[in-house]
Amino acid sequence: MKFGETGKWDRCCVYVRQAPVPLPAAHKPTDFIEYMILDLICLVEEISEDLINRLPDDILVNIISHLTLKEAARTSVLSNRWRNLWTFTNSLEFDASESLWNVGFGNLEQERSKYINWVNNVLELHRGSTINEFKVRFDLCDFHQSDITNWVYTVLGKRVQYIKLDLWPGRYGHYYTFPKEFYNSIESGRGLSGIKFLRCLHFKTVNVNGKDIELFIQNCPLLDRLCVDHSKTLVRLRVIGSSIQLKYLEIQSCYLMEEIEISAPSLLSFRYYGQAIKINIENVPQLVDVSIRGSHTFRVTYFVGPIISCFPQLKTLELDSCNEVYMQFSLFELPKLIDLRLRVTTPNRESLLGLTCIMKACPFLQKLILQLNDHGRRLGKKRQQFPKYSHQHLKVVELHGFLGRQFDVELAQYLFQNATMLEKLIIEPSRYVRKKVLRNCVKMLEAKVPHSVKLIVGSLYTD
């Protein structure tokens, strides 16, 4: 049936466009709406099978590729035509991480075997010539090196664009490591021609060192996203080269890390979480997003000065916060920064009253998110008094981890007084705050909030 022809499809469309027919007084409006919806569903069911069967296979495969693997496999029972369509899906996401919550150490190996068999069977049945994304998410380790490596070889042979190996938590501490032969194949250019199609690599609980990562970057000309999370062998990393297309680089929880050196003109975003290290960043004219975070003992002040002074083009910035951080801001200016997220531990909360330094350094800031954490130690000295500064562009402030203490109220009042164009103050309470305390605190704020500011309190307050 074509869309221009009369029939069921046209009847469905006309039915929607026409005004409702008056109902007898005994019928409620909701009864008619429900009846209309049920009638429409029946019409759609009548025409859907015919319309879908007229679609070419490549469109059906595209639709199937948006389903989970288990959902895609279920389509095989629809008809003979659908029996093998799912095996051409270009999205292979093997996520069984939720099942780990109910798996004890005694049953872990059994569940690992089931998972490995699942992946092996699907890859064996897969008939597509290309794969857009291949994602593994389950607790696996170096004991399963052969299977994992074979999976990577298989998807690279199908010109995969996105590989994610999330093997967290990697119990027993034996993280998966690519075999030496794999890197030899990359260097020689033999047998891994499909690697040149890679656009995104995400390794979690996978041991890779700096040389390994550099091999991927140098031999994957289209690679624009790279994330390494929880590698025990990453110590030094050099991302250097004028031809490197990398746009997003993220290094997380690599606790033996000592140094990162970056010179990549295409880089847009750099995110680091870990211990204090030596960072040298230059020749990044397009870098607009930076996040530097660490544990509660992390001294982020080592990085703030160089970042603020060298990259005035930044638009978004995320930092761990303390008084020394504010002092760094007072020396420079970020004229393009519009989005700032500060993470601060409980012992350093009073330092947030020093936001004046940031407001002056970021005159066009539009959004400020303060993540108030309930742990950590004091970093720097307590400051009691700060001058006021009228900010003309700050419109949205979010306070996460709100405890309803006197300081929290003072912080909100400080923002009311100094952010003259503020439109929204969003409060997300800490799970540790008592509802009665929170309600009293909110009442105090409501009495003082300007009429132009919308106060929004998270779900904990309304439960």
Side-chain angles (χ1 to χ4, degrees), residues 64-113:
I64 291 174
S65 296
H66 287 81
L67 304 175
T68 66
L69 271 176
K70 293 182 179 180
E71 292 170 342
R74 291 192 188 112
T75 64
S76 63
V77 302
L78 294 177
S79 68
N80 288 335
R81 184 190 177 193
W82 286 79
R83 181 170 301 168
N84 295 315
L85 279 178
W86 75 273
T87 63
F88 292 88
T89 180
N90 55 37
S91 177
L92 299 178
E93 182 172 359
F94 301 91
D95 187 353
S97 56
E98 290 187 2
S99 64
L100 288 173
W101 291 102
N102 301 318
V103 177
F105 280 99
N107 298 323
L108 180 58
E109 287 307 318
Q110 181 180 357
E111 293 301 317
R112 282 172 164 174
S113 296

Side-chain angles (χ1 to χ4, degrees), residues 440-454:
N440 292 336
C441 182
V442 171
K443 287 181 180 179
M444 293 176 57
L445 292 178
E446 289 175 337
K448 298 181 180 181
V449 63
H451 295 295
S452 59
V453 179
K454 184 176 182 180

Side-chain angles (χ1 to χ4, degrees), residues 1 8-9 41-55 60 78-82:
M1 182 194 308
K8 298 173 184 176
W9 179 260
I41 291 174
C42 292
L43 288 171
V44 170
E45 287 178 345
E46 290 178 25
I47 65 173
S48 60
E49 183 177 355
D50 182 58
L51 288 176
I52 290 177
N53 284 333
R54 289 176 179 268
L55 294 174
L60 294 180
L78 294 177
S79 68
N80 288 335
R81 184 190 177 193
W82 286 79

Side-chain angles (χ1 to χ4, degrees), residues 97-192:
S97 56
E98 290 187 2
S99 64
L100 288 173
W101 291 102
N102 301 318
V103 177
F105 280 99
N107 298 323
L108 180 58
E109 287 307 318
Q110 181 180 357
E111 293 301 317
R112 282 172 164 174
S113 296
K114 290 181 181 178
Y115 181 87
I116 290 172
N117 289 334
W118 176 37
V119 180
N120 285 337
N121 290 337
V122 171
L123 288 179
E124 184 178 351
L125 292 171
H126 190 265
R127 299 184 180 183
S129 59
T130 60
I131 296 176
N132 288 343
E133 57 182 16
F134 173 73
K135 299 179 181 179
V136 171
R137 193 177 181 193
F138 198 72
D139 183 348
L140 300 176
C141 62
D142 210 30
F143 300 154
H144 315 100
Q145 185 189 66
S146 177
D147 287 297
I148 298 172
T149 304
N150 286 336
W151 299 343
V152 175
Y153 273 116
T154 299
V155 296
L156 285 176
K158 297 194 176 189
R159 302 180 178 183
V160 65
Q161 297 182 36
Y162 179 7
I163 292 180
K164 180 177 182 178
L165 299 181
D166 182 351
L167 311 182
W168 178 260
R171 279 177 271 195
Y172 311 132
H174 299 278
Y175 291 1
Y176 168 76
T177 305
F178 285 98
K180 185 177 180 180
E181 295 76 15
F182 179 83
Y183 293 111
N184 290 340
S185 298
I186 295 179
E187 284 188 291
S188 65
R190 301 172 185 171
L192 285 178

Side-chain angles (χ1 to χ4, degrees), residues 251 269-273 289-293 307 316-319 341 343:
I251 306 296
S269 174
F270 172 62
R271 310 183 76 81
Y272 174 80
Y273 177 89
D289 172 49
V290 169
S291 173
I292 305 289
R293 296 171 40 230
I307 290 173
T316 62
L317 179 62
E318 180 178 19
L319 295 171
R341 179 189 292 263
R343 300 169 60 90

Side-chain angles (χ1 to χ4, degrees), residues 10 65 110 121 130-131 186 287 378 385 406 409 431 459:
D10 288 333
S65 296
Q110 181 180 357
N121 290 337
T130 60
I131 296 176
I186 295 179
L287 185 65
R378 185 182 302 282
Q385 296 181 353
Q406 181 180 355
V409 178
R431 64 181 183 272
S459 58

Side-chain angles (χ1 to χ4, degrees), residues 231-236 253-259 275:
S231 170
K232 294 182 178 181
T233 54
L234 186 58
V235 179
R236 293 179 179 83
S253 305
C254 299
Y255 293 112
L256 294 180
M257 196 85 191
E258 296 178 0
E259 182 179 1
Q275 63 182 14

